[in-house]
Amino acid sequence: MNVKEYTQQYAAQIAHLLNEHLPFQPEDANTVHEAGGVRFVALIDEQVVGYIAGYKIETFDDDFPYFKEELAPLRTQLTAAPSMYVSHFVVDPTFRRRGIGSALVEALMTEAEKQVDTIVVVGWVQSDTNAWAAEKQFMQHGFTKHTYIKRYFEPYNVYCPSCNGMCYCDANIVTKQKGDY
């Protein structure tokens, strides 16, 4: 397994991976490439088996338009200094439990430390399992729980395979401060 910085040659494979295993909105090579930010791919024999992406938070309200009262402490934390939002994290289920997720999180943290003081992840707690599949990865890397919000994704009006329609899954929001990376 090899972790590399994103390049456009991987865009179509990433889109396929996202559409298969993180299907909130349809992706294609163009939407993946245009996303920008800090991105890494995990490869086995040049096949993309994992992907992580994050970007600097420019305007808190753009990234967190709902739950103003519940997220007020997060707003204070993330607007005090440069922060990064982890927008995508996926490992093909066929390749899980091989260290791929850890390698991707570590790559992102190494790059984030150069750019921001805080990393935030909004973990999708699936309605059918009541579990956040990636929680273990982030918690093992020193992220701490910030807050848990019920029905977090409902206002976003996105399709959810867990809910089999409009998403009403909960979210577990975790953060990591510079110096703790």
Side-chain angles (χ1 to χ4, degrees):
M1 187 263 307
N2 189 14
V3 173
K4 294 183 177 180
E5 284 189 53
Y6 165 84
T7 62
Q8 189 171 4
Q9 76 187 63
Y10 302 117
Q13 288 187 62
I14 292 166
H16 177 74
L17 184 68
L18 293 172
N19 289 333
E20 288 293 312
H21 305 292
L22 203 62
F24 280 119
Q25 61 187 34
E27 300 282 359
D28 61 35
N30 290 329
T31 60
V32 168
H33 185 65
E34 292 170 358
V38 174
R39 302 181 284 170
F40 292 93
V41 295
L43 304 166
I44 294 179
D45 298 327
E46 288 302 303
Q47 175 188 353
V48 174
V49 296
Y51 176 66
I52 193 166
Y55 58 87
K56 282 187 180 179
I57 296 172
E58 300 296 332
T59 306
F60 183 85
D61 290 338
D62 289 347
D63 292 307
F64 301 93
Y66 306 106
F67 304 101
K68 302 281 188 208
E69 185 175 316
E70 296 91 333
L71 294 176
L74 184 66
R75 170 192 266 280
T76 300
Q77 180 179 354
L78 298 183
T79 57
S83 300
M84 179 176 287
Y85 180 83
V86 177
S87 58
H88 295 86
F89 178 58
V90 63
V91 175
D92 183 319
T94 308
F95 295 94
R96 290 184 182 160
R97 301 199 190 308
R98 299 185 189 184
I100 294 167
S102 287
L104 287 167
V105 171
E106 289 167 8
L108 183 82
M109 287 188 323
T110 298
E111 186 58 33
E113 186 172 52
K114 300 172 192 174
Q115 300 181 27
V116 300
D117 290 344
T118 304
I119 304 170
V120 63
V121 182
V122 176
W124 173 46
V125 179
Q126 299 169 316
S127 63
D128 59 348
T129 63
N130 202 32
W132 173 28
E135 182 171 11
K136 180 179 174 184
Q137 290 299 325
F138 290 101
M139 301 313 281
Q140 285 181 338
H141 286 89
F143 282 74
T144 58
K145 292 184 179 184
H146 192 279
T147 192
Y148 187 93
I149 298 179
K150 291 194 163 291
R151 300 177 74 102
Y152 180 86
F153 295 98
E154 185 176 28
Y156 290 91
N157 196 27
V158 293
Y159 173 80
C160 173
S162 175
C163 299
N164 198 23
M166 187 175 77
C167 188
Y168 55 86
C169 293
D170 301 342
N172 194 6
I173 300 174
V174 299
T175 60
K176 185 164 182 88
Q177 298 288 331
K178 191 172 195 164
D180 293 335
Y181 303 174

